[in-house]
Amino acid sequence: MPSERPQFPSINAYRGRFAPSPSGLLHFGSLIAALASFLDAKSFVSANGNSGKWLVRIEDIDPPREQVGASSAILTTLEAFGLHWDESVLYQSQQSEIYQDTLSDLQQQNRSYYCQCTRAEIKTLGGIYQGHCRTLNHSKYNSAIRLINQYGLYQFNDVFQGKVDCQQALAKEDFIIHRKDGLFAYQLAVVVDDIYQNINHVIRGCDLLEPTARQLTLFATLNSPAPEYGHVPLAVTTNGYKLSKQNKAPSINNNNPQPALIAALIFLGQAPDPKLVNENVDDIICWAINHWSRDKVTKVKEINIE
Ligand code: GLU
Ligand code: ZN
């Protein structure tokens, strides 16, 4: 275990997680987020010598966007890449009851309201939701549920990016926590689960920088301490698109994980010895844990990988 890593005086147990949505297979962009969150957890050393725990949560709360077989394919890929998780995998599809309880509590405490505005209506009103339905007392039918955003938190200290200022107007919006189509919103589910799993470190890609503001507000509303956040650069292609399932980034090869693993370490600024590519996966991961340095991660939001 590395010794140069500073210990957090207030935290004796690091709990991090990787939370993929099964809308497609793991791609190079999600491998980077998985690897960064894994290495940050596993290189942590607590006062009594324990490394951090790294959990995997499958965010399968949006059935229409789900790809059949993706959940198990993602898990198989993580294992092939030597990213072994602690505890059992949590599936958001199993968590409806706890989301509903949280939602009911928020409703009882008058921290939310029904909204019937359509996307088009909000767009004509300038794109930022101004609380139009706050006092209209709509019924639950054909309504979304919005959080009364009493904190509007928009600043935080990011492990990699330093001081981050999110867009204030968006951060202060009464955002949706339960969708009109009956599904729980990502913001609600992710925060409820981070609390449920006692997560104190969230390391992920810069595509989720802006949502962090809303999540901080939800933690405050739910009277829960927020985790530390760290956002690593996003891998983008020449045309500026985020590498994602949508633009058909090549899926990574479970039978030959070394090259992608080394490429991901280079992307994260960890400067692995190129010869490591000839080692087995567990040795590469072991090297990466021992050499993980937050300071080496490039402080930009995007890196072009073509
Ligand atoms: N499920 C989200 C995604 O795949 C990530 C959630 C998170 O890391 O907070 O984009
Ligand atoms: Zn409305």
Side-chain angles (χ1 to χ4, degrees):
M1 284 294 131
S3 53
E4 73 277 14
R5 189 64 195 287
Q7 289 175 3
F8 302 99
S10 55
I11 294 172
N12 199 28
Y14 180 122
R15 290 175 68 81
R17 50 52 161 201
F18 174 56
S21 304
S23 51
L25 304 178
L26 217 63
H27 51 78
F28 186 65
S30 36
L31 173 66
I32 288 161
L35 186 62
S37 59
F38 176 89
L39 295 175
D40 204 66
K42 292 298 160 185
S43 62
F44 174 85
V45 187
S46 74
N48 42 19
N50 295 323
S51 72
K53 294 250 191 267
W54 185 68
L55 279 59
V56 172
R57 178 165 80 228
I58 298 286
E59 302 214 316
D60 54 350
I61 39 156
D62 197 346
R65 291 191 53 222
E66 203 167 308
Q67 187 182 304
V68 180
S71 295
S72 61
I74 289 172
L75 296 176
T76 304
T77 299
L78 289 176
E79 302 228 270
F81 278 74
L83 304 175
H84 306 294
W85 55 89
D86 297 298
E87 303 179 7
S88 44
V89 174
L90 185 73
Y91 291 83
Q92 289 196 322
S93 54
Q94 308 292 309
Q95 294 281 91
S96 305
E97 213 169 297
I98 174 168
Y99 304 147
Q100 186 54 57
D101 287 350
T102 307
L103 194 60
S104 305
D105 286 350
L106 289 169
Q107 290 182 296
Q108 252 160 29
Q109 297 159 7
N110 292 320
R111 301 242 185 270
S112 69
Y113 58 91
Y114 292 115
C115 165
Q116 296 187 339
C117 299
T118 62
R119 230 172 253 206
E121 282 164 348
I122 297 169
K123 211 170 164 198
T124 50
L125 291 169
I128 301 282
Y129 190 74
Q130 307 285 0
H132 180 258
C133 297
R134 255 201 201 202
T135 53
L136 295 183
N137 285 317
H138 289 304
S139 79
K140 65 180 180 182
Y141 300 101
N142 201 27
S143 294
I145 301 174
R146 288 183 184 269
L147 181 81
I148 296 178
N149 189 332
Q150 48 178 341
Y151 297 106
L153 301 175
Y154 66 94
Q155 289 182 321
F156 66 99
N157 256 321
D158 190 278
V159 166
F160 305 107
Q161 307 291 333
K163 190 165 163 284
V164 172
D165 269 276
C166 296
Q167 287 181 53
Q168 282 197 48
L170 271 178
K172 289 176 188 296
E173 221 183 24
D174 287 345
F175 54 87
I176 291 179
I177 51 178
H178 189 256
R179 292 160 34 172
K180 229 182 235 187
D181 61 9
L183 296 175
F184 294 102
Y186 156 69
Q187 308 290 1
L188 180 81
V190 80
V191 169
V192 169
D193 284 340
D194 282 337
I195 295 170
Y196 178 81
Q197 297 190 288
N198 271 315
I199 299 299
N200 54 24
H201 286 77
V202 170
I203 306 297
R204 56 190 180 184
C206 271
D207 51 332
L208 293 161
L209 258 187
E210 292 293 331
T212 305
R214 295 175 171 208
Q215 289 165 30
L216 288 171
T217 286
L218 254 177
F219 277 106
T221 308
L222 297 172
N223 271 320
S224 225
E228 244 193 281
Y229 286 94
H231 292 85
V232 295
L234 202 62
V236 294
T237 55
T238 328
N239 48 15
Y241 287 130
K242 168 188 162 190
L243 262 186
S244 70
K245 297 116 190 178
Q246 281 75 30
N247 59 28
K248 304 245 185 316
S251 64
I252 43 192
N253 186 350
N254 290 352
N255 299 319
N256 184 25
Q258 286 90 338
L261 211 44
I262 298 298
L265 287 169
I266 293 171
F267 183 94
L268 288 166
Q270 304 299 303
D273 181 340
K275 285 196 210 113
L276 269 177
V277 79
N278 304 314
E279 304 290 330
N280 66 44
V281 167
D282 289 340
D283 290 339
I284 298 175
I285 290 292
C286 189
W287 179 91
I289 293 172
N290 288 328
H291 290 83
W292 173 246
S293 163
R294 286 178 170 181
D295 293 340
K296 286 188 182 160
V297 176
T298 323
K299 274 172 200 45
V300 295
K301 300 203 168 66
E302 285 182 358
I303 297 177
N304 194 307
I305 58 151
E306 276 181 347

